[in-house]
Amino acid sequence: MSKKWREFSLYFDYGKANPKDIEEFEKKYNICLPKTYKELMLEHNGVNFKEEYFDFINSRGQEDGRAFLFKAFGEKEKGKELIEDAQYVSNPDYYGVPGLIGFGSTAEGDTVCFDYRDDPKTCEPKVVLLVHDEYDDLPDGTSHMHIEPIANSFDEFLDMLYEFKDEDIEWE
């Protein structure tokens, strides 16, 4: 289990998630969410930490990065992005990919997802980025949003998060 999130600095959250909402979500989508993720949502539902950035090497071999915000469980309220609203990511009718469960979004409009494609019964899925404005063509003539691998687990993803500071920029 990642210890790091407990050391993060909080911008805001929506209080504590209701355990029943998490259980119902798991039942509805027939999945097991990562233990650390559930612990985090039970403390900081829909959290935005100051450590909201992550970097990765994209599929073109380039350094890439995103600012990230967790989706929340519960009822809709002003400004609150719900996890339920991110589940179009698994619907092929919306260029989604079956087996993905969206749990966060980026400033660029992409969705950070748990990836259950390899093992639908796992409680420790990989984390991927579903890029909303890039598409991959499939052999059957259909296409879906482009997937970028991010981390092998949710704990690994949390360990990637950091606070961006202006002094991190190398100005030319």
Side-chain angles (χ1 to χ4, degrees), residues 13-14 36 72 76 81-82 104-105 111 128 164:
D13 67 17
Y14 293 97
T36 305
K76 191 78 170 169
E81 293 188 31
L82 297 179
S105 58
T111 305
V128 298
F164 180 81

Side-chain angles (χ1 to χ4, degrees), residues 83-103:
I83 190 169
E84 189 65 42
D85 295 341
Q87 300 323 308
Y88 67 90
V89 300
S90 63
N91 186 339
D93 292 340
Y94 296 101
Y95 301 98
V97 179
L100 299 185
I101 296 291
F103 69 89

Side-chain angles (χ1 to χ4, degrees), residues 22-90:
I22 295 173
E23 289 170 22
E24 288 174 359
F25 184 86
E26 287 179 307
K27 284 180 186 171
K28 179 177 181 177
Y29 293 100
N30 194 29
I31 58 164
C32 176
L33 293 166
K35 180 181 178 187
T36 305
Y37 173 76
K38 292 188 279 191
E39 289 174 355
L40 175 57
M41 293 300 103
L42 289 170
E43 289 295 318
H44 300 289
N45 187 27
V47 67
N48 186 6
F49 290 118
K50 288 183 182 177
E51 295 81 1
E52 64 183 345
Y53 293 91
F54 65 92
D55 296 325
F56 63 100
I57 302 297
N58 66 30
S59 57
R60 294 177 295 285
Q62 301 165 325
E63 291 183 9
D64 208 336
R66 299 284 192 279
F68 168 77
L69 173 68
F70 284 94
K71 303 283 188 183
F73 289 93
E75 300 298 318
K76 191 78 170 169
E77 57 185 81
K78 186 177 180 180
K80 187 177 187 181
E81 293 188 31
L82 297 179
I83 190 169
E84 189 65 42
D85 295 341
Q87 300 323 308
Y88 67 90
V89 300
S90 63

Side-chain angles (χ1 to χ4, degrees), residues 107-169:
E108 294 79 8
D110 301 326
T111 305
V112 179
C113 305
F114 293 122
D115 185 355
Y116 291 93
R117 292 175 299 162
D118 291 339
D119 184 358
K121 298 300 177 194
T122 186
C123 293
E124 293 299 330
K126 295 177 183 174
V127 175
V128 298
L129 181 69
L130 194 64
V131 182
H132 79 284
D133 56 358
E134 292 182 35
Y135 298 88
D136 295 330
D137 295 327
L138 302 174
D140 66 1
T142 63
S143 58
H144 62 68
M145 288 180 271
H146 180 68
I147 300 169
E148 290 284 357
I150 301 299
N152 289 318
S153 68
F154 181 68
D155 286 348
E156 185 178 300
F157 175 71
L158 286 178
D159 289 341
M160 295 170 67
L161 297 176
Y162 68 94
E163 181 178 358
F164 180 81
K165 297 180 179 158
D166 282 340
E167 57 264 21
D168 294 337
I169 298 175

